[in-house]
Amino acid sequence: MVKICCIGAGYVGGPTMAVIALKCPEIQVAVVDIASARINAWNSDHLPIYEPGLDDVVKQCRGKNLHFSTDVEKHVAEADIVFVSVNTPTKTQGLGAGKAADLTYWESAARMIGDVSKSDKIVVEKSTVPVKTAEAIEKILTHNRKGINFTILSNPEFLAEGTAIKDLYNPDRVLIGGRETPEGAKAIQTLRDVYAHWVPIDKILCTNLWSAELSKLAANAFLAQRISSVNAMSALCEATGADVSQVSHAIGTDSRIGPKFLNASVGFGGSCFQKDILNLVYICECNGLPEVATYWKQVIKVNDYQKTRFVNRVVSSMFNTVSGKKIAILGFAFKKDTGDTRETPAIDVCKKFDWDHPAHLQPSSPTSIKTVSVVWDAYEATKDAHGICIMTEWDEFKKLDYQKVYDNMQKPAFVFDGRNIVEVEKLRKIGFIVYSIGKPLDSWLKDMPAVA
Ligand code: UDX
Ligand code: UDX
Ligand code: ADP
């Protein structure tokens, strides 16, 4: 019987292991974490992360073949396969600050695996890491060896938040990278057998270690690049009178381009895209490829530009200041169907406004600040407001009674739609002044150009 242990009970480790446990009833799965509050939450009725369908999966397996524990060393020692899914933030100081991945958590997990292991293990990189991390981990583990064999695999996760369970049930592909040696091939086979419980075999791709590591960074960079490309187009649409939704649809019907991931927005957010591109840029620079680094850096620059552009539109159309005005921010998560606000564009937008006391605005702890309050009800949020900024595409914001909203707002009433979810013409008929990313501007916005 195979035993699996996953170090790190976060957004990736938790849902992934829950689905493995559900699909492989004969495998014992332990998810361990040093954060006891997180483990307690996983063992309670209130899971630490919100993912549609996750509660159900956890309920079916927890206490049977799925266990959440803080006893990291015990479960690692007992496991045949150890997944490492710890956080890899961007370094904040020292060599590579602001770009390179901080591998402190990874290194300490690897050293711990080396210390406590008494039997052979397959060690699987699950969290996104810089290319060649596997080599570093191998070195740490083999230097600790006491006649124990460690085989390293890279098995990056491609799930997106909000659709994690769906993505795990039905992945476009599972990618497993390993050494091209007999031990490497055997380890790949073992992990492939786990996924083969529910993933069609032709969707399980096996590559060398470095291809698997790089593919994860490349996939996120390509996805982010599509968003920056369509966002760059949105600026041109506003300048020319084209409609970005029509342009997206028109180009997306080209089968070589495809229709997905072409929604113009106030900018991409989330814990992955920016971090992974910065990491990719750093790797390019370290490998003497400054042109390639510059190419990818531009994806982030356009994303920053898009957020600034949005703020400038808001401020310029509201007579060049939002100071002293009430702005309702509808949505704060980086996208709908998640409670995650890591790297959310809403934070950057709020910080860029010329509020009275911008330095005091801390969206992560808004209740302690006088000028910011958090409410659950969109009607309450918009009451007496001068303007509305839609930051997340939650379905409920599409269905609001905008006549009611309008009646309770200050006039002129503004809607700034950073997600293109409102019906622009309908709202204009009600009386709103509406700005929607990449859509033709009305005369008010044309008369109040956003000058940086
Ligand atoms: C292109 C567009 O495809 C077509 O829709 C438009 O109407 C005119 O421009 P074309 O220039 O004939 O058509 O050739 P295309 O097949 O798009 O290739 C353009 C260049 O890209 C070629 O040099 C091709 O070798 C290169 N290419 C294409 C690559 O290097 N890699 C690829 O994956 C695809
Ligand atoms: C992403 C990748 O999709 C996933 O494969 C990887 O494993 C982790 O990173 P995630 O960050 O959860 O997943 O969300 P995603 O759906 O990719 O959205 C990222 C950001 O792009 C969000 O802020 C979203 O609103 C934005 N976005 C997405 C757009 O602005 N336009 C689009 O068309 C698509
Ligand atoms: P991701 O989005 O990649 O899943 P998270 O930050 O949500 O990342 O989760 C990573 C988890 O890893 C955190 O809960 C953190 O406490 C845990 N972690 C970090 N280092 C260790 C370690 N050495 N041992 C056990 N857990 C760890």
Side-chain angles (χ1 to χ4, degrees), residues 158-159 161 216 227 261 263 265 268-269 273 334-335 419:
F158 295 99
L159 65 82
E161 286 178 31
K216 172 65 195 191
I227 301 168
F261 250 69
N263 295 320
S265 66
F268 60 74
F273 283 176
F334 78 101
K335 62 175 191 179
R419 296 291 183 166

Side-chain angles (χ1 to χ4, degrees), residues 323-343:
S323 192
K325 291 177 183 148
K326 178 175 171 183
I327 307 287
I329 304 288
L330 297 193
F332 212 72
F334 78 101
K335 62 175 191 179
K336 75 170 181 177
D337 290 339
T338 173
D340 194 352
T341 57
R342 288 180 294 178
E343 305 287 332

